[in-house]
Amino acid sequence: MKKGTKKALIALAVVAVLGSVGWYLSQTFVRWKLMEHYLMPTFIDGVNVAEDYPYTDVEVPEEFEEYSMNGIVFKAPAGLSVKGPLEDSEGYEYSWYLTDNEDKSKRELSILISGWTTYFNKDSLINKHPGFHDLLTVRGMKKLGYEEPQNSFDLIYAVNTFDPKECNKFSPSEVIATSKLMLIKTVLVPTKVSINGISGPLKDFDDDDRKYYYFDNGTAKSFVDEGATSEGGSQLIIELYSMKDPDNNLDIAIACSDPEVGKQILNSINIAEE
């Protein structure tokens, strides 16, 4: 081999090695640092990771009445005032509102049920942006314990149950998958339904005493944001998915002076039979 050719091959080898090192760093250390700088500050109170719902043994009282609306059925105290379907600002029917008392100062229970919706167009969320079907992302998702998402629920389940601290920062595929999951999570942070602010026993929710759960009863799968009031009441924000159509979800907000009642209502929620 000529001396000049040998030098050229060595130079190419060095360039290839440097290129590989550069790519590796860009997909691990650099990408992680960018995520820490641009995405993680969104979570002022830390990243919520959904735990398994711990109150599945709470029994629903026999005297509860069954209600059916917006494609779901549930049981709640009998005699609630039911309003709906209510219209949004553009005249579309989208929600129902139930309460035990028209007088806010005496109100002990309120339930708000939204219409079925989806975060984004499915192609936009799952297929096109930020891209969850490329080889490295799929590999990273599997390393993190998740299958390639096929619908909105699959993706949101991964987003809500994955703890970024579990990511191997030296694995390009895991860092890539984690950064994409966290990007979706930052977009979803502000999208919360709430009926806080009701006067009487349902005021003054303590943001420091909030818990986040994942609840699966077979036909309906939910993410539950539980908050406690300074006066011992509770508010449950429920993001519910039907396995009949996992690309859509509805939000349910339950505010009650007795935390046990909220859990009883939640444990009774199911998808209505067609």
Side-chain angles (χ1 to χ4, degrees), residues 24 31 34 69 83 95 114 125 134 144 169 217 251 253:
Y24 177 81
R31 192 169 189 134
L34 287 172
M69 56 200 64
K83 296 181 180 179
S95 65
S114 76
L125 182 63
D134 62 87
L144 299 174
K169 301 178 183 63
N217 71 359
D251 291 312

Side-chain angles (χ1 to χ4, degrees), residues 165-230:
K165 293 193 295 291
E166 300 298 320
C167 174
N168 177 4
K169 301 178 183 63
F170 299 101
S171 168
S173 62
E174 289 192 39
V175 173
I176 289 171
T178 297
S179 65
K180 291 181 178 181
L181 290 173
M182 296 310 295
L183 175 60
I184 293 292
K185 199 174 185 78
T186 60
V187 173
L188 302 183
V189 164
T191 59
K192 289 291 182 184
V193 171
S194 176
I195 48 177
N196 194 358
I198 297 174
S199 59
L202 303 176
K203 64 183 179 180
D204 297 330
F205 284 85
D206 186 355
D207 287 334
D208 293 330
D209 192 18
R210 305 191 74 85
K211 298 179 177 66
Y212 195 53
Y213 301 116
Y214 170 62
F215 183 26
D216 180 355
N217 71 359
T219 61
K221 302 186 179 184
S222 307
F223 301 100
V224 182
D225 192 331
E226 179 188 28
T229 73
S230 60

Side-chain angles (χ1 to χ4, degrees), residues 253-272:
I254 304 172
C256 50
S257 58
D258 182 354
E260 194 74 2
V261 172
K263 296 179 179 68
Q264 291 166 345
I265 296 171
L266 171 57
N267 286 8
S268 74
I269 297 174
N270 229 313
I271 302 301

Side-chain angles (χ1 to χ4, degrees), residues 60 65-76 113 116 215-222 238 240-244 250 252 254 263-274:
V60 181
E65 180 180 336
E66 183 171 281
Y67 298 83
S68 178
M69 56 200 64
N70 271 14
I72 64 171
V73 293
F74 61 94
K75 293 184 177 181
I113 303 172
W116 290 91
F215 183 26
D216 180 355
N217 71 359
T219 61
K221 302 186 179 184
S222 307
I238 304 156
L240 182 142
Y241 288 81
S242 166
M243 292 301 98
K244 296 178 182 179
L250 62 76
I252 304 169
I254 304 172
K263 296 179 179 68
Q264 291 166 345
I265 296 171
L266 171 57
N267 286 8
S268 74
I269 297 174
N270 229 313
I271 302 301
E273 296 183 3
E274 295 180 352

